[in-house]
Amino acid sequence: AQSVTQLGSHVSVSEGALVLLRCNYSSSVPPYLFWYVQYPNQGLQLLLKYTTGATLVKGINGFEAEFKKSETSFHLTKPSAHMSDAAEYFCAVSLLAGTALIFGKGTTLSVSS
Amino acid sequence: DAGVTQSPTHLIKTRGQQVTLRCSPKSGHDTVSWYQQALGQGPQFIFQYYEEEERQRGNFPDRFSGHQFPNYSSELNVNALLLGDSALYLCASSLVGLNSYNEQFFGPGTRLTVL
């Protein structure tokens, strides 16, 4: 069965600092991997996705993630945090295109000035 | 281009009642998925509808049922509400495609409170 583990329920960084949000997955076959962001009282917005091909994926708002099969990881990074990045971030996996997304429990990112 | 819309925005019900939530998919999309997001948790998959049939179902009891209409809109019905059903219910739409990944676009959700 697929599962997603997000290490750290809360991450705090200073504005301009590196953002690193960790995600590990468990899957019997190569999965599709995603990062979503959720702002208060809103739905989920896709930041980036890995389906096939290049393992370093670039997304919106300066975020990127690297698929590492050997480590079963898909960590999200951003070189320089901005106050507007404060939100809840979810890592998700699915086995087949367009089928159920399995989400992690989320990581709350706080950015201080 | 309208994205995924959901109604109502908020809803308050009492235990034992029944509730219906509605979702209109993004223009051009034909598949609708429903997720339940409890407070402080990640979304959990309830079921997915395609061509007016339930295509995939998560680990939710039969009290949760759904429907998809010919115009691709969808309803989520929950019977015999429990306190534990209080959550944000998210609808996501996608397009079945042959050569592209079917990205799911999420609506803003319906906040259900069961008293």
Side-chain angles (χ1 to χ4, degrees), chain B residues 66-82:
Chain B
H67 187 76
Q68 186 179 34
F69 298 94
N71 66 353
Y72 307 119
S73 67
S74 176
E75 288 183 349
L76 163 65
N77 300 292
V78 186
N79 294 322
L81 284 167
L82 304 173

Side-chain angles (χ1 to χ4, degrees), chain A residues 5-88:
Chain A
T5 301
Q6 291 185 240
L7 300 175
S9 58
H10 199 143
V11 170
S12 297
V13 300
S14 299
E15 194 171 21
L18 171 72
V19 175
L20 171 60
L21 304 182
R22 300 177 186 274
C23 173
N24 288 88
Y25 68 90
S26 152
S27 174
S28 56
V29 297
Y32 297 98
L33 295 161
F34 310 85
W35 276 99
Y36 282 86
V37 62
Q38 186 176 36
Y39 297 99
N41 301 315
Q42 294 187 26
L44 302 174
Q45 180 184 9
L46 181 66
L47 278 177
L48 48 80
K49 64 180 183 286
Y50 170 78
T51 55
T52 59
T55 56
L56 181 62
V57 180
K58 294 187 184 297
I60 62 172
N61 302 338
F63 284 94
E64 63 181 37
E66 186 172 9
F67 170 56
K68 292 188 176 180
K69 184 179 178 181
S70 61
E71 299 177 8
T72 61
S73 69
F74 191 57
H75 302 331
L76 181 70
T77 60
K78 182 174 180 178
S80 177
H82 191 271
M83 298 291 286
S84 61
D85 294 327
E88 188 80 13

Side-chain angles (χ1 to χ4, degrees), chain B residues 37-49:
Chain B
Q37 185 180 16
L39 199 61
Q41 300 295 316
Q44 285 194 289
F45 175 74
I46 303 175
F47 43 55
Q48 184 181 81
Y49 277 83

